[in-house]
């Protein structure tokens, strides 16, 4: 799924699935590398989304006060 169409909830769910797959030990080395790369992108996406949301909420709260 492209990041442009990805929601925070979808990214979080995909991250949980990757963690579960890694913890199960069922991934071969090649798949593990790809999953870790994907997880890194998803973490960056979620961090950016959370930061943006926090900034927007702070702006709204500042406008109220």
């Amino acid at each position: 799924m492209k990041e442009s169409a990805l929601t925070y909830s979808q990214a979080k769910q995909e991250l949980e699935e990757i963690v579960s797959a890694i913890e199960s030990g069922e991934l071969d080395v090649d798949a593990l590398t790809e999953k870790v790369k994907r997880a890194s992108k998803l973490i960056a996406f979620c961090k950016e989304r959370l930061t943006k949301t926090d900034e927007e909420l702070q702006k709204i709260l500042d406008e109220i006060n």
Side-chain angles (χ1 to χ4, degrees), residues 23-39:
E23 289 177 341
S24 74
E26 296 175 6
L27 297 175
D28 64 22
V29 173
D30 295 325
L32 177 62
T33 300
E34 290 304 313
K35 292 290 186 184
V36 170
K37 286 180 185 178
R38 178 65 178 159

Side-chain angles (χ1 to χ4, degrees):
M1 180 174 286
K2 292 184 178 181
E3 274 76 14
S4 61
L6 191 64
T7 67
Y8 177 84
S9 294
Q10 291 168 329
K12 183 176 175 280
Q13 181 177 349
E14 188 175 346
L15 275 169
E16 290 171 354
E17 291 168 1
I18 291 170
V19 169
S20 178
I22 291 171
E23 289 177 341
S24 74
E26 296 175 6
L27 297 175
D28 64 22
V29 173
D30 295 325
L32 177 62
T33 300
E34 290 304 313
K35 292 290 186 184
V36 170
K37 286 180 185 178
R38 178 65 178 159
S40 176
K41 289 180 182 181
L42 290 168
I43 290 167
F45 171 84
C46 288
K47 183 177 178 182
E48 179 183 327
R49 194 60 82 121
L50 288 171
T51 300
K52 184 177 178 180
T53 299
D54 183 54
E55 290 169 355
E56 290 174 1
L57 289 173
Q58 190 59 51
K59 186 176 180 179
I60 291 168
L61 291 173
D62 288 346
E63 289 174 0
I64 292 172
N65 293 324

